[in-house]
Amino acid sequence: MKKTIFKVLVDFSMLEPFYSGFGQYSFYLGKALSEIAKKDDRIQFTFIVPPSFVGEFEPHIKIITHSRILKRLPSFIKSLIFRKYDLIHLTTQNSRYLSPKIPTVVTIHDLDFVEEDIFNFPTKQSKKIGKMLQYSELITAISEYTANELKDRFNAHQLPMEVIYNGVKNHSMPIIHSKIISPKAKFLFSIGAFSGKKNFRVLVEMLAELPDYQLVIAGKNQTEYAQKIRQSIQEKKLENRIILAGEISEEDKHFLYQHCTAFVFPSILEGFGLPVIEAMHYGKPVFLSTLSSLPEVGGKEAYYWESFEPTEMKDVFIQKMTEYQQDPQKPSQIKQHASQFTWEKASKEYFEAYLKVLTLR
């Protein structure tokens, strides 16, 4: 009897920008799926990737180049082009490759756009996700929080849905030099694109209450919100203690994780919060808000701010840092928590999800 080999198309068109959340997710999931495909030939993968990533994956992975022309083709033409595939995985809600006639798995990362819905009028993105849910055999979400938001906001309680957590790439090599800040400095670190949801403003206000610390915030900062942060820094005369590093390299990012005193992340809206696990991978104390997915991801090994009032944030920080420093087991416990989130585990769960959809049809 001839063995069935399924053809699965995976949309990794969001590999660019590479250092974005979608870029990192796409790259490391693609690499992990490639490793599975070396050993398990039940699925033949084809990846859709930007031109700069052609040749980045293993030779046994077939490639379609993501292009402006391809993504703008009408859905029925894409369906004709992709009809030879048994399944397509749309790895983000921003995918342009929905093909209603092809069995589909869709991954939803967050519902940030909901904030843009005015008077409950659906945005373009809201309508798009509704259509994705309608035509998908399986919906995957990157956290229970995102899954519950989907169920409630799209009345999707009856739709087939699974939670598959993101992984974290293991960067174990010590990095001892960076132009951003001295490894001997006593500093707090945060990272993310500068937008209101990241809530960096409260870190500036807290730092004014912590005269012994510096603060480094990395991430795209050519935004209106970033300008407000700069104004706040100037008003509080903290220019010498706060570094807005902008977009940084992987090496600099991991230098900052390795050498920071603590990772601080008061975000009010996260689908997952990958930097939290990246910092915990180094056994660092992480301080988070109690909102959205962060308590789910940080678990009992993280510390939480229940208020954004600067003095209260400072008091929590000092109290919990003292506890951390007095508990020699805490770093290893934090690392153990982070070790649950691997791309190997995530890719296996996606692989099994593909097979479940394919064999149940």
Side-chain angles (χ1 to χ4, degrees), residues 8-252:
V8 173
L9 179 65
V10 186
D11 174 19
F12 287 134
S13 58
M14 296 297 293
L15 271 161
E16 292 179 339
F18 177 66
Y19 291 116
S20 69
F22 285 160
Q24 296 287 284
Y25 166 90
S26 299
F27 182 78
Y28 290 115
L29 177 59
K31 288 289 189 180
L33 287 174
S34 299
E35 289 300 313
I36 291 178
K38 284 182 181 178
K39 305 168 186 174
D40 193 327
D41 63 357
R42 287 177 290 174
I43 292 178
Q44 168 64 61
F45 284 108
T46 299
F47 294 169
I48 302 175
V49 303
S52 60
F53 284 86
V54 172
E56 186 65 50
F57 296 97
E58 300 289 344
H60 61 276
I61 303 296
K62 297 182 178 180
I63 297 296
I64 293 176
T65 304
H66 172 66
S67 68
R68 185 176 300 177
I69 294 174
L70 181 62
K71 73 180 182 180
R72 291 182 176 176
L73 290 175
S75 293
F76 76 93
I77 295 181
K78 290 175 189 170
S79 294
L80 290 174
I81 294 173
F82 299 151
R83 62 184 176 182
K84 67 179 181 179
Y85 298 102
D86 301 299
L87 178 74
I88 182 169
H89 179 193
L90 308 179
T91 57
T92 80
Q93 60 264 30
N94 291 346
S95 175
R96 300 291 294 270
Y97 292 106
L98 179 63
S99 302
K101 295 186 178 180
I102 300 172
T104 299
V105 172
V106 62
T107 297
I108 306 297
H109 293 251
D110 59 61
L111 299 179
D112 293 359
F113 67 89
V114 169
E115 289 189 332
E116 301 169 8
D117 288 358
I118 302 175
F119 304 120
N120 292 321
F121 293 140
T123 61
K124 182 178 180 181
Q125 181 75 340
S126 176
K127 292 178 180 177
K128 180 178 180 179
I129 289 185
K131 196 171 182 181
M132 284 180 163
L133 301 185
Q134 177 184 354
Y135 290 112
S136 295
E137 272 72 23
L138 177 66
I139 303 139
T140 64
I142 63 171
S143 65
E144 292 287 353
Y145 169 78
T146 297
N148 290 332
E149 286 285 289
L150 274 171
K151 291 174 183 177
D152 293 341
R153 295 187 181 275
F154 288 88
N155 194 26
H157 292 272
Q158 303 305 316
L159 296 179
M161 192 177 301
E162 293 183 12
V163 172
I164 300 179
Y165 290 114
N166 289 343
V168 173
K169 177 64 177 175
N170 187 340
H171 292 268
S172 57
M173 182 178 296
I175 303 172
I176 59 175
H177 298 292
S178 172
K179 295 180 180 179
I180 295 175
I181 194 168
S182 166
K184 297 180 181 179
K186 196 175 179 181
F187 70 95
L188 312 180
F189 176 46
S190 194
I191 188 170
F194 277 61
S195 65
K197 74 172 187 173
K198 294 301 182 185
N199 205 23
F200 291 143
R201 173 188 57 83
V202 302
L203 295 179
V204 175
E205 295 175 353
M206 181 185 72
L207 200 75
E209 306 268 338
L210 292 168
D212 295 333
Y213 288 90
Q214 295 185 62
L215 169 66
V216 178
I217 308 177
K220 185 177 181 181
N221 58 26
Q222 303 304 313
T223 65
E224 183 178 342
Y225 182 72
Q227 187 56 36
K228 292 179 180 178
I229 297 296
R230 291 187 180 94
Q231 290 173 359
S232 180
I233 291 171
Q234 291 172 0
E235 289 168 3
K236 295 183 181 299
K237 296 181 171 53
L238 295 171
E239 295 94 332
N240 294 330
R241 293 206 289 126
I242 297 181
I243 298 170
L244 303 186
E247 295 180 272
I248 60 176
S249 68
E250 278 288 282
E251 185 175 63
D252 278 329

